[in-house]
Amino acid sequence: MGKKLEGVVALITGASSGIGEATARVFAENGAKLVLVARRYERLKLLKEKLIELYNTQVHLICADVRNYKHLEEEFSNIPEDFKDISILINNAGLARGLEKIYEGKIQDWEEMIDTNIKGLLYVTKLVAPILLQKNSGHIVNIASLAGRAVYPNGNVYCATKFAVKALSEAMIIDFNGTNIRITNIDPGLVETEFSEVRFHGDKERAKKVYLGYQPLTGDDIANIILFCVTLPQHIMIQDILVTPTAQATATIVSKNFQ
Ligand code: NDP
Ligand code: 8X3
């Protein structure tokens, strides 16, 4: 049997770690050609080498900050011919910074979250949408969060950015209606990645504790859900998915049985 994504070009933002990296691996295994975006070039380069070695994948790297539209535009105009025909966009790059009351939050953290999670997603979508519209097909997957469905204590600005992603997914579903372009919003709960380390500004010990005492989701779990959505028959569009570890009921109710 042929591979599910044989020859399909997929662009994944935030591919240097966590969910994005796992999605790159799962897509490569399924025959996709990849355009991978992140800021940490060394990470992307190592991943590219691994994907070539394991799956003979064709990979084009874009070392860019999704907050910088001008740079993204330049990089897009330099995408090699072989990778230009993007069919799948995974809007995954994103982060949380800080976990404190709104009146204790730092302006720099707020700006980083808003600029990356909302504006970065919009910038990349703005550049990929014309390619999909031109051929009247394709799929955009937005990684929002459980944090975009219910606010939790000290989540304030991060939650607001993910509510915005959810709103943008709903808007895209309406705006692309009448085309063959599909939109899927995915809201994961707790996934063990570098997310908490980034949120706690590099405090690995504090980050580790978030995932202790239960089985969190992995990047691979989300990657396989994404694969499922993008490989369904063309007439089926999964609009929205909420996925949590079995031990997680809500953002604040997590059963840590053995703690
Ligand atoms: P990671 O920290 O492991 O990965 C985040 C990725 O985003 C990295 O590849 C990072 O690359 C990239 N990124 C961050 N900022 C930028 C930027 N300005 N420009 C380009 N790339 C950027 O976390 P996750 O894999 O967990 O996070 C992926 C997405 O999933 C995020 O949107 C997050 O909000 C969401 N999510 C995560 C959950 C979790 O529990 N882990 C749950 C729900 C949603 P680099 O630093 O190299 O630029
Ligand atoms: C990441 C999951 O619950 O830490 O979006 O906000 S959570």
Side-chain angles (χ1 to χ4, degrees):
M1 209 174 74
K3 292 177 177 172
K4 289 180 179 164
L5 292 174
E6 192 70 65
V8 173
V9 183
L11 185 146
I12 303 169
T13 67
S16 61
S17 164
I19 295 170
E21 182 182 345
T23 305
R25 265 188 283 105
V26 168
F27 274 26
E29 203 178 348
N30 282 278
K33 282 161 72 169
L34 299 174
V35 181
L36 304 180
V37 183
R39 292 165 300 179
R40 286 171 293 180
Y41 183 68
E42 275 310 309
R43 290 272 197 112
L44 288 180
K45 201 159 86 60
L46 281 176
L47 178 61
K48 176 176 175 171
E49 284 162 11
K50 212 184 319 166
L51 297 180
I52 291 173
E53 184 191 318
L54 289 174
Y55 311 113
N56 199 24
T57 312
Q58 293 183 60
V59 185
H60 174 68
L61 300 181
I62 296 185
C63 178
D65 187 325
V66 294
R67 291 172 293 177
N68 186 338
Y69 183 70
K70 219 175 154 8
H71 184 213
L72 285 175
E73 216 178 8
E74 271 169 39
E75 289 288 344
F76 265 71
S77 62
N78 290 327
I79 291 180
E81 243 358 273
D82 265 11
F83 293 89
K84 277 204 161 98
D85 187 25
I86 296 165
S87 292
I88 300 174
L89 165 61
I90 312 296
N91 272 322
N92 163 75
L95 79 177
R97 285 285 194 203
L99 186 68
E100 58 249 314
K101 299 225 178 277
I102 204 155
Y103 45 83
E104 287 162 351
K106 296 174 190 60
I107 296 284
Q108 195 186 334
D109 287 349
W110 294 352
E111 285 179 344
E112 190 173 2
M113 289 186 278
I114 291 166
D115 290 350
T116 308
N117 300 358
I118 306 174
K119 289 162 73 179
L121 179 146
L122 282 170
Y123 293 163
V124 178
T125 304
K126 173 88 180 149
L127 291 165
V128 174
I131 302 168
L132 308 184
L133 284 165
Q134 216 255 329
K135 58 184 175 181
N136 189 24
S137 76
H139 203 138
I140 300 175
V141 177
N142 294 329
I143 306 300
S145 172
L146 173 59
R149 294 196 183 211
V151 174
Y152 53 82
N154 302 321
N156 45 68
V157 176
Y158 176 68
C159 294
T161 66
K162 292 301 183 175
F163 270 73
V165 173
K166 179 102 165 93
L168 290 172
S169 295
E170 289 178 15
M172 287 181 201
I173 288 168
I174 293 168
D175 289 350
F176 284 101
N177 183 249
T179 74
N180 289 321
I181 298 160
R182 297 184 285 183
I183 312 294
T184 298
N185 183 83
I186 301 185
D187 289 336
L190 290 153
V191 189
E192 188 168 13
T193 63
E194 291 174 18
F195 176 85
S196 292
E197 211 179 306
V198 172
R199 164 169 258 174
F200 301 136
H201 295 280
D203 184 340
K204 285 191 192 319
E205 282 313 303
R206 189 175 173 197
K208 219 189 292 169
K209 286 190 189 134
V210 175
Y211 309 107
L212 287 180
Y214 68 101
Q215 187 173 348
L217 297 172
T218 64
D220 273 7
D221 294 330
I222 307 301
N224 281 303
I225 289 167
I226 295 172
L227 178 72
F228 170 75
C229 294
V230 301
T231 53
L232 283 167
Q234 171 62 41
H235 68 287
I236 305 172
M237 173 165 74
I238 304 272
Q239 294 199 8
D240 200 13
I241 289 182
L242 171 62
V243 51
T244 64
T246 304
Q248 181 174 27
T250 68
T252 51
I253 302 175
V254 181
S255 176
K256 296 197 170 192
N257 294 323
F258 306 110
Q259 287 291 290

